[in-house]
Amino acid sequence: MVMNTRSGINEKKETPPTKANAMPLRKRGGTVSNIYLALIFIFLYAPIVVLIINSFNAAKSRVVWGGFTLDWYRKLFQNADIIDALRTTIIVAVLSAVIATLAGVLSSVGIYALPKRFRRIMMQITNIPNITPDLVTGISLMLLFYFLRAQTGFVTLLLAHIAFNIPFAILSIMPKLRQMDMSLYEAAQDLGCTPAQAVRKVLIPEIRPGIVTAFILTLTLSIDDFVISYFTAGNQVTTLALTIYSMARKSVNPQINALSTLMFMTVFILLIIINMRTSSKNRIAHNGVISADRKIGKRAFTTQRKE
Amino acid sequence: MENIEKADQLKKNNRVRLLTRERSKTAMIGTQLSDKTGQSHIIELVGVNKSFGEVQVMRDITFYIRSNEFLTLLGPSGCGKTTTLRVLGGFEQPDSGTVTFEGHDLLPIPPHERELNTVFQRYALFPHLDVAENVAFGLQIKKLPQGEIDSRVSQMLSLVKLDGYGARAIDQLSGGQMQRVAIARALVNLPKVLLLDEPLGALDLKMRKEMQIELKQMQRELGITFVYVTHDQEEALTMSDSVIVMNEGAIQQIGRPIDIYNEPRNAFVADFIGESNIINGRMHEDFRVLICDKWFPCVDRRHENEEVDVVIRPEDIDLVKPADNLLNGIVTSATFKGVHYEMIVEACDLEWLVHSTDHKAEGSEVGLSFGPDDVHIMVKSAFSPMRGKSDQDSASHESERGADYE
């Protein structure tokens, strides 16, 4: 149920309707638009709400309320399979987020230094994995691993997660680089930094907010992923998302509700952090810089022939 | 189409320039050494060329910078002055030519090893550091002892009148304050040469005037060579020991501010520095020039070419009673400008700009009076005023050559 967060993030980043658009609607038919809005939210969130409520339901049935209980959560943490899957999920998430973020920083700096035309081409290439369906990415990675005769397992799972995370890391870091005044990098060198020192002492601190966002985002995507993990994890290793899937296939186990609730809450909180970061970042962008590009149009000669 | 033609033209110009390079080089050295101060050259550029794609932004740039002088590169945007500065700073490599610093080749040395510091156009202060950390940055990189860093930073902050601002964040500063931090951050390293790229461009007029005086004072007190880039001719004249006027990637003139103003080498310089009347003239002999079919005395010798540009500054013209030996015309507008009146006089089909404290009403008939000293003769250049139809009609002897100048 949280499998599609990746596309969901992109949608959330789009600009919200401006006040100018929203105002006339509210003035004309407040009730109609409010009902419409409420319906959308109900359709979107009712299943999750039902799920969360059921995770506290003492009755095994999903339609009868048998009283409040935390049993399912308790059982969850006594389930060795689930604890094992949780450990794998966290290790893969943290490792892939760290590696993808590092790779993202290096690639972003490299892409930014390219001439404009190549930079655009590189960014297009970077964007392709983002719009490729997970299914295609998953199957192609699986085929790649078969082709290389690699045993699918923890390593292939980690590699796959790093692979799909890198473009998102680049996308989080690039805007920060673009906002940065390139003369900062030159100023650092002017003051005695080698190019490497200039990157470390000026460029990285400047884009740090983007780096942190990249880390949280890739962490979220990794925890959240099911499809790509399904094709690359093999038989031995399993993540939480894979566990939920296999549990749901066998029988209706209310532990799934509890586990899903926990996963949903984790991803939800991480997403809120990302969104708060991006909106506060936009606020401080371009502060106090007055354009020095004063126009001094070519002055005409003071003496001119009459027409 | 136009671009291709332009590019061809540029190439042709360049070829001509290369051929005449030896000559022009000696000419420029002559200009610069004319006010013999005997100081050594700290930086020398010889025949530097630089192109960005099709556009050549530096054409055979040759000049010298003396120790402890305040040198200004002056020109309109896109004239190549900032690129010249960036070549000195090490952020651009020229396509050809040599740059030496105290006699050593500067070009292979990376920016961080050059003994110059730059004040960038938009200050380029590090937002993640506070004021004191910004100023200390260069010293910290050099790994000086913390005690020395602290004392030099506070010294420098008081030099730029920012005592007590050390702990401020960069985004809490005004434009003028950021400017001072940028200057302090560069000067604290005690560079031999300070490069300044339009540092006052973003400040308001009053602040700019104050900073001009302060910068000049700092330069004198610290004995550091300043290379200053600006498009503001007044700023250049006020602060500089030497001015280099540039346009379209080429040096137009090098000289002291007073020479540049009084003896502009061509119509571009005359027009860019101050206001001027630039008229087509003709010289058949020394010390006499034909303007609008009348002969006037002047102090210049005859040039190779008899076609010349004549510059007469608006403040050098007196409005008197019409007379036969003067250019006579009618005042078409008179505007009060505070110190003087700005009047436009129409005479011999030209509009003359005149600055005078004597007011002449619109419509009054006047004679334009100027002495031989006020007439400045320049050779024709690509920047000369367009030839008008009326001029050819009135000057009968022009018919034989007129076509050359269309």
Side-chain angles (χ1 to χ4, degrees), chain A residues 151-217:
Chain A
Q151 184 69 47
T152 47
F154 179 79
V155 176
T156 53
L157 178 69
L158 180 62
L159 287 175
H161 278 233
I162 294 169
F164 76 68
N165 267 338
I166 286 176
F168 290 96
I170 294 176
L171 284 184
S172 313
I173 294 164
M174 248 348 226
K176 268 277 130 188
L177 263 180
R178 245 186 250 125
Q179 271 175 26
M180 197 187 95
D181 181 2
M182 213 34 208
S183 55
L184 289 183
Y185 176 68
E186 288 179 351
Q189 290 187 62
D190 188 77
L191 294 166
C193 284
T194 61
Q197 276 178 317
V199 168
R200 210 169 60 234
K201 290 192 184 272
V202 172
L203 199 140
I204 301 281
E206 270 312 294
I207 60 171
R208 183 167 290 147
I211 296 174
V212 175
T213 306
F215 178 76
I216 303 173
L217 178 64

Side-chain angles (χ1 to χ4, degrees), chain A residues 175-299:
Chain A
K176 268 277 130 188
L177 263 180
R178 245 186 250 125
Q179 271 175 26
M180 197 187 95
D181 181 2
M182 213 34 208
S183 55
L184 289 183
Y185 176 68
E186 288 179 351
Q189 290 187 62
D190 188 77
L191 294 166
C193 284
T194 61
Q197 276 178 317
V199 168
R200 210 169 60 234
K201 290 192 184 272
V202 172
L203 199 140
I204 301 281
E206 270 312 294
I207 60 171
R208 183 167 290 147
I211 296 174
V212 175
T213 306
F215 178 76
I216 303 173
L217 178 64
T218 49
L219 197 70
T220 314
L221 295 177
S222 175
I223 294 172
D224 181 48
D225 176 73
F226 167 76
V227 178
I228 296 171
S229 305
Y230 183 80
F231 288 104
T232 52
N235 303 327
Q236 316 296 324
V237 190
T238 171
T239 67
L240 279 181
L242 295 176
T243 310
I244 292 174
Y245 176 70
S246 59
M247 280 164 74
R249 276 211 313 188
K250 271 182 251 163
S251 62
V252 184
N253 186 340
Q255 282 179 33
I256 296 173
N257 298 338
L259 183 54
S260 304
T261 303
L262 288 179
M263 276 190 75
F264 170 77
M265 290 315 290
T266 311
V267 172
F268 185 66
I269 289 164
L270 287 174
L271 277 181
I272 286 175
I273 294 172
I274 293 171
N275 279 349
M276 277 166 56
R277 291 183 61 82
T278 33
S279 54
S280 65
K281 251 187 299 175
N282 293 339
R283 192 164 41 78
I284 45 171
H286 296 298
N287 205 4
V289 180
I290 311 148
S291 170
D293 305 333
R294 295 160 152 273
K295 279 209 185 112
I296 46 147
K298 249 188 185 168
R299 292 185 306 151

Side-chain angles (χ1 to χ4, degrees), chain A residues 181 183-184 186-195 197 201-202 205-206 287-294 296 298-306, chain B residues 76-77 86 91 112 117-118 120 124-128 137-138 141 178 185 189 201 231 248 271-272 274 276-278 280 346 350-351 353 383 388 391:
Chain A
D181 181 2
S183 55
L184 289 183
E186 288 179 351
Q189 290 187 62
D190 188 77
L191 294 166
C193 284
T194 61
Q197 276 178 317
K201 290 192 184 272
V202 172
E206 270 312 294
N287 205 4
V289 180
I290 311 148
S291 170
D293 305 333
R294 295 160 152 273
I296 46 147
K298 249 188 185 168
R299 292 185 306 151
F301 285 99
T302 8
T303 303
Q304 278 166 350
R305 303 270 166 190
K306 273 197 312 177
Chain B
S77 19
R86 289 173 60 80
F91 305 114
H112 64 273
N117 285 107
T118 309
F120 289 85
L125 299 175
F126 306 129
H128 64 285
F137 191 87
I141 294 293
M178 287 201 267
R185 186 180 66 173
N189 303 291
H231 61 251
E248 290 176 357
D271 182 58
F272 195 75
S276 46
N277 297 293
I278 303 172
N280 292 310
E346 217 176 283
L350 293 169
E351 287 184 341
L353 187 69
F383 310 105
D391 190 43

Side-chain angles (χ1 to χ4, degrees), chain B residues 285-391:
Chain B
E285 56 194 283
D286 293 347
F287 312 128
R288 233 157 71 96
V289 60
L290 186 72
I291 306 170
C292 299
D293 279 341
K294 279 182 181 159
W295 290 100
F296 291 90
C298 65
V299 294
D300 295 78
R301 289 187 177 277
R302 188 179 181 277
H303 288 270
E304 266 174 59
N305 213 329
E306 67 177 34
E307 297 266 349
V308 292
D309 284 339
V310 180
V311 175
I312 303 173
R313 296 285 183 188
E315 66 271 23
D316 291 336
I317 301 177
D318 289 327
L319 297 182
V320 295
K321 275 186 185 160
D324 274 352
N325 61 338
L326 298 177
L327 298 172
N328 300 316
I330 293 167
V331 178
T332 56
S333 96
T335 317
F336 180 60
K337 289 278 178 181
V339 180
H340 58 77
Y341 286 94
E342 183 179 289
M343 286 165 286
I344 294 174
V345 177
E346 217 176 283
C348 65
D349 273 347
L350 293 169
E351 287 184 341
W352 296 74
L353 187 69
V354 179
H355 290 171
S356 169
T357 47
D358 299 329
H359 177 239
K360 293 277 189 289
E362 276 179 37
S364 48
E365 285 184 30
V366 292
L368 301 169
S369 161
F370 40 83
D373 284 355
D374 302 327
V375 177
H376 175 64
I377 307 292
M378 304 179 303
V379 285
K380 282 272 174 200
S381 66
F383 310 105
S384 300
M386 298 285 285
R387 300 189 67 80
K389 197 171 64 204
S390 53
D391 190 43

